[in-house]
Amino acid sequence: MATYKKKGHKPSTKDEQQKHVEEQSTTAEVFNTLDEGANKTEEWVASNQKYIYIIVGLAAVVVLGFLGYQRFIQEPKEKDAANEMFQAQEYFDNALAVSGAQSDSLYNMALTGGEGKYGFLDIIEDYSSTNAANLANYYAGFAYLHTNKYQDAINYLEDFKSDDEILAPLATIGIGDAFLQLNQPEEALNYYDKAAEMRSNSFTTPKALIKGAITAIQVGKGEQAVKYLNRIKDEYSTTPEAEQVPIYLGRAQAMK
């Protein structure tokens, strides 16, 4: 028959007594170890209290300094930069609506300023680290692209950093366009491919794919061109780029 230890059961046999003594000893050792650890921690804190206060104080200064910088310096700077860039954006938008010498003039004014207002290059220089300066890199890149200054276009578009669904791939496509104009189709193809993989939307993705397909045909990569064209046909059949697929698909397939 099984036996059970009742509450308050006293060890009766020699073995039970020995086991009881060992358990008590182990428990005592655990508590002694914890007490020793706590005492050592208290001693360390006591002996290093001055340095702890210094570290905590420095951390508080850093946090408060950062918050103050954001509120009293960075935020007003962001607002001023956005206000200053308004005229340059207007020049840029107007340049898109016209052509020829008038367009070039407006793009140049967008870059360097006019009517006493800042241009994109001024924003980049005087308001660095702001969102406006970052966006100015995007506009400046395309202004240079439209005025046939392709290396400058590449430089500024590469400096533009964004996770935006539309602007990020458009900037990458713009770099590809600049390389294509510099007669570097392999580099252009790399950027078109990168832009096509960056996002999946019906605006930028088919643009990158059709440019990539045309460039792939140009450099003799028919299989890659077919892949791009089939993706447009399968995934973006309602876009304007899909209408161009039959024009290039036969040529690409013939190269395989």
Side-chain angles (χ1 to χ4, degrees):
M1 176 182 295
T3 59
Y4 301 92
K5 287 186 179 180
K6 296 181 180 178
K7 188 175 181 181
H9 170 74
K10 295 182 179 180
S12 56
T13 66
K14 186 175 181 180
D15 289 340
E16 286 183 345
Q17 289 176 347
Q18 180 64 29
K19 184 176 180 181
H20 182 64
V21 170
E22 290 175 353
E23 289 176 349
Q24 287 182 323
S25 176
T26 300
T27 302
E29 288 178 5
V30 170
F31 280 108
N32 285 336
T33 300
L34 292 175
D35 287 340
E36 289 175 4
N39 289 334
K40 288 180 180 179
T41 300
E42 290 174 359
E43 291 173 3
W44 184 88
V45 169
S47 61
N48 294 277
Q49 197 170 48
K50 177 182 177 181
Y51 300 105
I52 293 172
Y53 286 150
I54 291 173
I55 293 170
V56 171
L58 288 174
V61 169
V62 170
V63 171
L64 291 174
F66 174 77
L67 294 175
Y69 173 81
Q70 287 294 113
R71 180 173 180 181
F72 298 110
I73 298 177
Q74 189 64 20
E75 288 181 10
K77 190 176 181 181
E78 291 279 2
K79 184 176 180 180
D80 289 345
N83 289 336
E84 289 288 354
M85 198 165 73
F86 176 79
Q87 184 63 63
Q89 288 175 303
E90 191 170 82
Y91 288 141
F92 185 92
D93 292 340
N94 290 338
L96 292 174
V98 296
S99 60
Q102 186 180 2
S103 175
D104 288 349
S105 177
L106 287 167
Y107 281 127
N108 287 327
M109 291 174 70
L111 285 166
T112 60
E115 300 178 33
K117 299 294 184 179
Y118 275 25
F120 294 128
L121 301 183
D122 299 312
I123 299 294
I124 293 167
E125 182 176 353
D126 292 353
Y127 292 95
S128 59
S129 79
T130 64
N131 293 327
N134 183 49
L135 187 58
N137 281 312
Y138 175 89
Y139 281 112
F142 277 104
Y144 279 125
L145 183 63
H146 288 300
T147 52
N148 307 324
K149 297 177 181 177
Y150 304 118
Q151 189 57 58
D152 287 329
I154 292 169
N155 294 339
Y156 281 96
L157 289 173
E158 283 184 337
D159 284 342
F160 173 66
K161 310 298 180 187
S162 176
D163 293 327
D164 188 83
E165 178 75 12
I166 302 299
L167 298 185
L170 282 181
T172 305
I173 291 171
I175 296 172
D177 290 346
F179 273 116
L180 195 63
Q181 293 298 325
L182 289 171
N183 198 28
Q184 298 181 49
E186 291 282 0
E187 284 294 324
L189 183 56
N190 289 336
Y191 278 93
Y192 293 144
D193 184 76
K194 181 180 178 181
E197 297 302 319
M198 286 177 71
R199 303 288 187 275
S200 292
N201 62 68
S202 60
F203 183 67
T204 66
T205 309
K207 286 184 187 299
L209 289 170
I210 196 66
K211 287 174 179 285
I214 295 170
T215 307
I217 292 171
Q218 180 182 337
V219 298
K221 296 184 177 181
E223 187 173 348
Q224 190 170 353
V226 169
K227 183 183 76 171
Y228 292 153
L229 293 167
N230 281 334
R231 186 177 171 193
I232 295 173
K233 183 174 65 174
D234 295 339
E235 299 179 27
Y236 305 101
S237 59
T238 60
T239 63
E241 289 78 14
E243 298 175 6
Q244 301 180 58
V245 169
I247 301 172
Y248 298 104
L249 187 57
R251 290 170 58 185
Q253 289 173 332
M255 296 173 64
K256 293 174 62 176

